[in-house]
Structure formats: C-alpha cells, structure tokens
Amino acid sequence: MFVRIVKMSFHEENIPAFLEIFEIVKDKIRNTAGNRLFELYQDKNNKCIFFTNSNWKTEEELVNYRKSALFTEVWAFTKKLLNEKPEAWSLDKLVRLE
C-alpha cells in the first residue's frame, strides 16, 4: 500500500472555498482507479492547516491520478487558496491495526 500525505495551509478567508471544492470532488478522488482511502484532517490548534491522507494500491496509480484532468483542475483551484507552499510525504504502509 502506498500512502500520500499532503499538508496545506490556507488563508483563513479561503477555508470555506476549499471545503466547498473538497465536498464536490472527494467522491471522484476516492473512486479513482487504485485509490483505497481518502481522508481530510484539520489541525486542532491551527484551523488554517489541513492534511489529506490518500492510500493507493500502487505508486503508479497515484501518478496516473496526478496526471488526470481531475487533479489538474482541483489543484489549479486549491493552490490559489494557500498561504504557504504545501508539503507532501510519500510512504509505504507497513502495518495497520484496527
């Protein structure tokens, strides 16, 4: 399992616009080939900071998503709302206990 975590920090006044676009596209992203999990988190202490956690069957499937029209459109809109450069981590999931 391949995991991608992205940290994004928004101007406070842009949070509603981000949440609106997220609501529109979340199911499309989740239903992208190879996607196994898609989550959004908001920092408890700084409401301007959000994280996405997406789990992919393979890294190649994430790459394919990042080349898609959906990603291009969503990212073009989202990056205009940011107040800092986003950070991203690519991880291999080793263990999951539930």
Side-chain angles (χ1 to χ4, degrees), residues 28-41:
K28 293 175 185 176
I29 295 169
R30 173 57 187 92
N31 291 317
T32 298
N35 185 274
R36 300 294 182 244
L37 176 75
F38 186 55
E39 299 176 311
L40 177 67
Y41 303 99

Side-chain angles (χ1 to χ4, degrees), residues 18-86:
F18 168 69
L19 292 175
E20 183 177 334
I21 191 72
F22 186 86
E23 186 64 30
I24 292 168
V25 299
K26 67 182 181 183
D27 290 324
K28 293 175 185 176
I29 295 169
R30 173 57 187 92
N31 291 317
T32 298
N35 185 274
R36 300 294 182 244
L37 176 75
F38 186 55
E39 299 176 311
L40 177 67
Y41 303 99
Q42 186 176 28
D43 189 274
K44 298 259 325 154
N45 298 312
N46 183 342
K47 66 182 178 180
C48 294
I49 297 176
F50 290 80
F51 294 84
T52 58
N53 172 27
S54 58
N55 290 208
W56 300 84
K57 187 175 178 186
T58 66
E59 185 174 1
E60 182 180 11
E61 287 166 311
L62 170 62
V63 169
N64 290 339
Y65 163 67
R66 293 191 67 203
K67 292 178 181 178
S68 73
L70 173 61
F71 176 83
T72 301
E73 179 182 342
V74 170
W75 189 241
F77 179 84
T78 302
K79 69 181 178 182
K80 294 176 188 175
L81 307 176
L82 299 172
N83 64 9
E84 292 181 10
K85 184 178 177 183

Side-chain angles (χ1 to χ4, degrees), residues 2-13:
F2 182 77
V3 177
R4 181 75 166 183
I5 297 175
V6 179
K7 177 185 177 188
M8 298 171 286
S9 181
F10 294 93
H11 294 284
E12 188 171 348
E13 64 272 12

Side-chain angles (χ1 to χ4, degrees), residues 84-95:
E84 292 181 10
K85 184 178 177 183
E87 297 179 62
W89 295 267
S90 296
L91 310 159
D92 289 320
K93 185 181 289 190
L94 300 180
V95 176

